[in-house]
Amino acid sequence: MRTRAITGLFFVIVVLASIVFNAYLFTGFFLVLNACCLYEFYRIVGDANGKPNALLGLLFGVLAFGVYGGYQLGDLSPNCLLLVIPLAALVWIVPLYQKDQDNPFTGIAYTFLGVIYIVLPFVSFLSLGFLTGAYNYRLPLGFMLILWGNDTGAYLMGRFFGRRRLFERISPKKTWEGLIGGILLALVVSSVLALYYPVISVWQWVGMALLISAFGTFGDLVESMLKRSRQVKDSGSILPGHGGLLDRFDGLLLAAPVVFVWLKLLLSLQTVN
C-alpha cells in the first residue's frame, strides 16, 4: 500500500507538471505516454492467432502524434502528416515477407486497432491544450483532475457503500454506488475549476464532467474487457503497485475524443454567433 501511494503521488506530480510547465513539455511527455500505452496494447493482443507489427505500429503512432503536436506548436506543416501514409502501406506489405504469420490479416487489424484505440485518444487530449488557439493548460489540466476525481469518488463510494454490481461480467468490483460517487466528485471538481478557470462556462465544465464520468467509466470497462479476454491482470508493471500506463489512462481513451468533439462544436458555435 505504501509503495502504491508513493508511486501514485509521484506520477500525479509528474503528469500535472508536464501539463502546466509549457506546451513543449506537455507535447513531449504525452508523446512518450502515447508510445508506452501503444506498446502495452500490442503486447497484450499479440498471440499465436495473430501478432501486430509492433515496430511499424509504434513508428506510425509516434510519427502521427509527433507531427500533429509539431503542427499545433507551430513548428511543422500539416502536410508532414502525409509521412504516415507510407508507414500505413508497409503495415500491409510486410506480412507478405513474414513466413511465420499464419493469420496476417489479424496482425494487420491489431496494428491499426492500436492506432485507433490509443493514438487517436491521445491526439484528442493533446488538442484540448490548443482548443482556444495558443496553448492553454487549463482544459487538459481540468480534464485530468475531473478524470481522477471521478476515479477517486468511484473507488471510495464503491468500497464503503458498494452493493449493486455495475458490470459484473467484465469488472466484478464496480458498483452503481461507485458510479454515482464518481459522478458526484467529478461535478464538485468541475465546479471548482469553473470558479478558478473561466476559460469555458460553468455549464460547459459541468457537461465536461458528465461526459468524462460516463465515457471514462466505459473506457475502464473496455480495457477490463481487453485484459479479461487475454487473461491478463495488468497491462504492464512500469508503475509499482499500479500496473501499466494503459491501466492508468484507460478512462482517457474513450473520454478524450468525446470531450474534444463536444467542446470543439460548442466553441465553434460561439464563434459563429
Side-chain angles (χ1 to χ4, degrees):
M1 183 62 71
R2 183 179 179 182
T3 300
R4 179 182 175 87
I6 293 173
T7 303
L9 178 61
F10 177 76
F11 185 68
V12 166
I13 292 174
V14 171
V15 172
L16 294 182
S18 71
I19 296 173
V20 174
F21 193 73
N22 63 42
Y24 285 94
L25 182 59
F26 171 64
T27 303
F29 181 74
F30 278 89
L31 170 65
V32 174
L33 288 182
N34 164 70
C36 291
C37 289
L38 186 57
Y39 171 77
E40 290 182 355
F41 173 79
Y42 286 148
R43 189 183 63 83
I44 292 173
V45 299
D47 59 17
N49 294 319
K51 295 182 180 180
N53 192 317
L55 178 59
L56 286 178
L58 286 168
L59 287 174
F60 189 105
V62 169
L63 181 62
F65 187 100
V67 171
Y68 181 76
Y71 163 66
Q72 292 285 15
L73 292 167
D75 296 332
L76 294 176
S77 165
N79 291 331
C80 292
L81 283 172
L82 296 174
L83 295 172
V84 303
I85 294 177
L87 283 175
L90 283 175
V91 173
W92 295 91
I93 295 171
V94 168
L96 293 171
Y97 298 92
Q98 294 177 323
K99 297 180 181 180
D100 59 339
Q101 279 278 22
D102 295 328
N103 299 289
F105 274 84
T106 303
I108 292 170
Y110 283 155
T111 304
F112 285 118
L113 178 60
V115 174
I116 296 171
Y117 180 52
I118 305 295
V119 181
L120 181 59
F122 273 99
V123 166
S124 299
F125 179 73
L126 175 73
S127 300
L128 291 177
F130 301 90
L131 198 57
T132 56
Y135 179 64
N136 189 328
Y137 69 85
R138 292 166 180 81
L139 286 178
L141 175 66
F143 181 100
M144 292 306 304
L145 291 177
I146 293 172
L147 182 63
W148 289 336
N150 176 74
D151 291 344
T152 301
Y155 172 76
L156 293 176
M157 186 69 81
R159 180 174 182 178
F160 293 106
F161 303 103
R163 296 291 183 272
R164 302 170 183 82
R165 302 301 175 189
L166 176 66
F167 224 111
E168 190 169 5
R169 179 173 61 88
I170 300 298
S171 185
K173 293 183 179 180
K174 289 194 179 299
T175 63
W176 283 100
E177 292 83 0
L179 176 65
I180 294 171
I183 294 173
L184 291 176
L185 189 52
L187 289 173
V188 171
V189 173
S190 68
S191 299
V192 175
L193 288 168
L195 181 64
Y196 289 98
Y197 295 149
V199 61
I200 55 177
S201 65
V202 175
W203 73 270
Q204 288 172 335
W205 276 115
V206 170
M208 184 174 170
L210 292 174
L211 289 175
I212 290 174
S213 292
F215 287 92
T217 301
F218 278 122
D220 192 341
L221 289 169
V222 167
E223 202 235 356
S224 294
M225 180 172 63
L226 169 64
K227 291 189 295 185
R228 184 172 288 271
S229 68
R230 294 295 174 179
Q231 298 181 346
V232 173
K233 183 179 185 296
D234 297 316
S235 66
S237 58
I238 192 172
L239 298 174
H242 290 266
L245 290 170
L246 189 55
D247 295 323
R248 301 280 64 83
F249 288 95
D250 50 8
L252 178 149
L253 299 181
L254 293 189
V258 175
V259 168
F260 169 69
V261 170
W262 185 70
L263 289 179
K264 181 70 173 179
L265 290 174
L266 289 178
L267 294 176
S268 298
L269 290 175
Q270 289 178 359
T271 303
V272 171
N273 294 330

